[in-house]
Amino acid sequence: MKKRRVLVVLGGNSKERSVSLDSGKACAKAIKSLGYQVSTFDPAKKSFNEIKNLKVDVIFNALHGKGGEDGSAQSYFEYLKIPYTHSGVLSSMYAMDKAISKKIFFKNKIISPKYFVLNILKYKDKNNLKRLIKSNKLIFPVVVKPTNEGSSIGVKICKNFEKLNSETKSLFKNYKNLMFEKFIKGQEVQVAVMNGKALGAIELKPKRSFYDYKAKYTKSANTLHIMPANITKKKYQEVLKISEKAHNSLKCRGVTRCDFKLMNNKFYLLELNTQPGMTNLSLVPEIARYKGIKFENLVKKMILDASINR
C-alpha cells in the first residue's frame, strides 16, 4: 500500500514562530516514525500557493498565532482541497478573536470573566478609559490583552489604573483592539479535547504571576504540572463537560485546549485554543500520555481526522 504523503506546515510569521517550529519538528518526527512520507513547509519562506505544486495527501497544521490559527491558513487549505488537521476556517477565526468567542461562550451559558473591548480609535485619553472601567464595573486588578493573540502574548495584569493606562498606551502601538477583563484568581486548570471528547484536565502552578509565555515554553520557569488536576471528582467531570461544550459551541474539530481558572467553586473559561502546542513541554501531549495515548498515536489520530469542509 502506498504511503500517505503528509506535509507539516510550521513556522510562519507570527510571534509564536519559534514554538510552531518546535511543534512542527516534533510532529514531523512522529509522523515519519509512523511510516508516512513526510515533508515540511514554512509559509514565512514560501507562499501558500506553492503547496499546489507539491504531492500532498494530508496537511498537518502545526502553525500557531496569527496567520496560522485564525482561519487564514485554513482558507488556503480549503481552496487547495487538501485534507488538513485541527479546526476549520470559521471555528479558527472565532476562537482566535477573544471577543467573538466570549459572546459565543456566554450564549451557551459558559462562564467567562467580565470584559469590554476598546478600539484604538475610541481611546481618547486616560479619563475615557477610567470611565469605561467604571461603567463596566471592573475592579482591580484588571487584565488587558490583545483580542487576537495566543500563548499569553501581550497579556498584562494591572493592579492599579496608572499601570493599566501605561500598558494600554504601549499595547496600542501594536494592536488596534484590546480586551479589558476582570482578573480571576484561583487554580489554573487546562483541558484537552479531541474530536469533541475531553481527554483530561491538568492543573498548573506557575512560579510567575500567571501562566504566561515564559512559563509555557521555558524549562527554567519550573511550572508545576499536576496530572490529573487536584480537584474533586465532581469538579473534574464538570470541567471536562464544560470543555466539550465550548469545543462544540465553536464547532471545533480535531484537538483543542481550554484554559480555565477555578475560583469560588466556579470555572471561568479564559479562552479556547484551536492549535495547542505539540512540544515536549506542551499540555495536550502530557494529558494524552496520562490517558495512555503515546505522542505518535496522538499525532496519528489527528492525521486520520484530517478533512476539508471543516
Side-chain angles (χ1 to χ4, degrees):
M1 184 176 176
K2 190 176 181 180
K3 292 181 180 178
R4 296 186 78 189
R5 296 161 298 194
V6 180
L7 181 69
V8 178
V9 181
L10 75 176
N13 293 306
S14 81
K15 294 182 179 179
E16 298 177 68
R17 173 178 171 80
S18 62
V19 180
S20 173
L21 288 171
D22 289 343
S23 286
K25 289 173 184 176
C27 291
K29 183 179 179 180
I31 293 167
K32 186 176 181 179
S33 73
L34 289 166
Y36 293 101
Q37 292 180 356
V38 61
S39 55
T40 58
F41 185 91
D42 187 346
K45 298 179 179 180
K46 299 177 182 179
S47 166
F48 274 119
N49 289 328
E50 292 188 38
I51 294 178
K52 66 184 178 184
N53 300 320
L54 306 175
K55 294 181 179 180
V56 179
D57 296 314
V58 176
I59 291 174
F60 190 100
N61 185 5
L63 294 170
H64 299 312
K66 291 181 181 179
E69 58 180 307
D70 57 6
S72 299
Q74 291 79 3
S75 296
Y76 277 103
F77 305 153
E78 292 285 358
Y79 172 74
L80 295 169
K81 292 183 170 56
I82 300 175
Y84 60 97
T85 62
H86 298 80
S87 294
V89 178
L90 288 179
S91 298
S92 301
M93 183 182 73
Y94 292 161
M96 192 68 175
D97 190 313
K98 296 175 177 63
I100 292 176
S101 58
K102 266 185 178 286
K103 288 178 181 178
I104 294 172
F105 296 152
F106 287 142
K107 185 178 179 180
N108 285 272
K109 298 181 180 179
I110 298 171
I111 300 173
S112 190
K114 184 188 297 185
Y115 78 104
F116 70 88
V117 174
L118 181 61
N119 180 274
I120 188 170
L121 297 177
K122 294 185 178 181
Y123 174 71
K124 299 176 182 178
D125 53 38
K126 65 179 183 179
N127 291 325
N128 179 46
L129 179 59
K130 190 174 288 186
R131 284 193 295 271
L132 286 169
I133 293 293
K134 186 176 181 180
S135 64
N136 284 278
K137 299 180 180 178
L138 291 185
I139 58 173
F140 288 94
V142 169
V143 178
V144 59
K145 57 187 177 183
T147 58
N148 59 351
E149 284 283 14
S151 293
S152 302
I153 291 173
V155 176
K156 305 295 180 182
I157 300 173
C158 306
K159 295 182 179 180
N160 55 58
F161 181 78
E162 287 70 26
K163 176 68 173 176
L164 179 66
N165 190 52
S166 174
E167 295 291 0
T168 298
K169 287 182 178 179
S170 180
L171 286 168
F172 268 141
K173 293 176 182 178
N174 298 302
Y175 302 98
K176 293 181 179 179
N177 293 294
L178 298 179
M179 175 176 285
F180 297 80
E181 187 178 63
K182 177 183 178 182
F183 175 69
I184 305 297
K185 297 179 181 179
Q187 289 173 273
E188 296 252 11
V189 178
Q190 305 204 5
V191 179
V193 177
M194 173 177 274
N195 301 333
K197 183 68 176 178
L199 294 178
I202 191 168
E203 181 183 351
L204 306 170
K205 287 190 174 182
K207 289 191 174 181
R208 300 171 69 82
S209 58
F210 73 107
Y211 193 51
D212 61 5
Y213 188 91
K214 187 172 183 178
K216 289 176 180 177
Y217 304 117
T218 309
K219 287 184 178 180
S220 60
N222 293 323
T223 297
L224 179 62
H225 293 196
I226 303 171
M227 184 67 211
N230 185 26
I231 52 181
T232 65
K233 290 182 179 180
K234 184 178 180 181
K235 297 305 289 185
Y236 192 89
Q237 291 302 316
E238 180 186 336
V239 77
L240 297 189
K241 291 296 182 184
I242 297 172
S243 299
E244 291 173 357
K245 189 176 183 181
H247 178 102
N248 293 326
S249 72
L250 295 181
K251 295 180 171 58
C252 294
R253 296 287 299 274
V255 172
T256 61
R257 192 194 69 238
C258 290
D259 303 348
F260 294 90
K261 281 289 193 72
L262 175 59
M263 184 179 77
N264 297 331
N265 214 36
K266 289 183 180 180
F267 286 108
Y268 291 81
L269 178 56
L270 304 182
E271 63 180 78
L272 182 149
N273 191 319
T274 57
Q275 299 276 140
M278 295 288 284
T279 71
N280 60 345
L281 290 176
S282 298
L283 302 178
V284 170
E286 183 174 354
I287 293 170
R289 279 197 303 272
Y290 181 81
K291 294 289 290 185
I293 304 171
K294 294 181 179 179
F295 186 78
E296 290 78 9
N297 290 335
L298 175 65
V299 171
K300 185 177 182 179
K301 287 176 181 290
M302 296 165 77
I303 291 173
L304 294 176
D305 176 66
S307 69
I308 55 174
N309 299 319
R310 296 174 74 81

